[in-house]
Amino acid sequence: MNSRIVAALCVALFLASGLRAADINVTVVSVEGEEKAAVLQGIAEGGFKLASGVVAAKDVAEIRFAATSGADSAKPTLFLRNGDQLRVAVLTGNDASVKVKSEALGELTVDNKFVDGFIFPQKDALSTDTIDGFLKSPLTEDLLLMPKGEITKGAYEKLTEKDLNFNVEKQSKTYTFDQVAGLRLVPLDEYKAPSDLRATINLAEGSRLTGKLQSLDAGVLAFEGIDGKPWKVPAAAIKSIAFKGGNLAYVSDLTPKAIEEKPYVGGVPLLYHWRRDQSVAGRPLSIGGKTFDKGVGVHSYTKLTYELGGQYAKFLASVGIDSSAPQTGFCAWKVSVDGKEAAAGVCKANEAAKLVKLDVKDAKELELVCDYGPDEDDAGDHLDWGNARLIKP
């Protein structure tokens, strides 16, 4: 059958179902965790146009799309100063900008003042802790992360599709991408993140983008990128859209005012430290097979204390042992509000998450505790606080 005829029949069947060609089936998750199937038709002022009406962005925790392709770990990751991460192919780069190509966004030229650096895939991958330490290390010079974890200081010069030039002690050297694990650039000036409500756009191939939503037309989402210019991505490539600001604050975006971590056996070095938006093993948060883009991963014993300042009304989280933990995982957890226990329980490996929902109106302080549990051991106690969040009145 002629391809044009097939396409016409597909469109006719689609329209017959009651949807328009631009309509997208999604799941809308409210800030309180309620999930509802919906048809997304466009972007409204401060919200979304659904077939059932307009919903305000401040009332939405997440919109999930149907993208199912897996993350592409074979490409370099470009890190931007607002926290964005893009899986890209490098095209060129100099002392002013980098030009890259994204599967979802096409070719992009990004000014170096917005670029934090790159992580290059290696045959023998470095540990998550090594990479995290490199990405968070203070900068006085440009840095290279080498394949065995050592760091070289110097001055970045240029990029090509397959290598980079880096000046070390006044000598320019060329490194192919398989000879370096990472590159970081000294900030050219201070970057100030916008304070208004911003969307976090998670792509199925592993990229994470932040911006102000502008339009959704013909299945293409346009948003304001870090450089203030419109960036466009097909809705078919989107895994989810979440929000920072509004009525919702994810605990992983807050900084604890106090952190207490200790191993079961005194004097033994800690193997696992708490992590934002990852399990303590550096993997995606997952409880009972359900994954969470946001949350906190901890290990027994850990106590995280957060300052609330009386500005929130509710606390919600899905609590449980991470799916990647060994079968020995068996620990206790507790939530305290202003020094008083508000919820507690125990959990085992492979169990479904337990939903915690608490009133924290006027509360000044929140404590999240992971303890050793009934087995009085810390083996396998990889606890996740999935989608831990605070809601304003």
Side-chain angles (χ1 to χ4, degrees), residues 213-368:
L213 301 182
Q214 296 176 327
S215 65
L216 178 63
D217 185 36
V220 176
L221 177 71
F223 62 98
E224 181 184 294
I226 188 173
D227 55 5
K229 299 175 183 178
W231 291 17
K232 295 182 179 181
V233 59
I238 300 174
K239 177 183 176 184
S240 65
I241 299 177
F243 296 92
K244 292 183 177 181
N247 290 343
L248 178 68
Y250 285 103
V251 171
S252 59
D253 293 330
L254 306 178
T255 299
K257 78 169 190 177
I259 301 168
E260 183 180 352
E261 296 178 299
K262 57 186 180 184
Y264 178 68
V265 180
V268 175
L270 279 169
L271 295 177
Y272 299 102
H273 292 275
W274 76 283
R275 293 178 182 270
R276 291 181 168 95
D277 303 328
Q278 290 182 323
S279 74
V280 288
R283 301 177 182 180
L285 296 163
S286 176
I287 306 172
K290 181 178 181 179
T291 58
F292 302 87
D293 289 327
K294 302 292 291 181
V296 178
V298 296
H299 192 270
S300 60
Y301 172 89
T302 299
K303 179 169 73 174
L304 303 176
T305 304
Y306 294 89
E307 188 72 54
L308 301 186
Q311 61 178 315
Y312 300 102
K314 297 177 182 178
F315 167 77
L316 295 93
S318 296
V319 188
I321 297 290
D322 190 82
S323 298
S324 66
Q327 299 296 317
T328 52
F330 188 19
C331 66
W333 58 268
K334 180 176 69 175
V335 183
S336 294
V337 179
D338 287 341
K340 297 180 180 179
E341 182 179 303
V346 296
C347 51
K348 297 181 181 179
N350 298 321
E351 287 185 340
K354 297 177 174 63
L355 180 62
V356 179
K357 186 174 182 179
L358 300 174
D359 183 349
V360 295
K361 184 179 179 182
D362 300 325
K364 302 296 189 294
E365 189 175 275
L366 177 76
E367 290 181 353
L368 304 181

Side-chain angles (χ1 to χ4, degrees), residues 2-14:
N2 185 283
S3 60
R4 292 185 179 180
I5 296 176
V6 172
L9 287 173
C10 290
V11 171
L13 289 171
F14 188 82

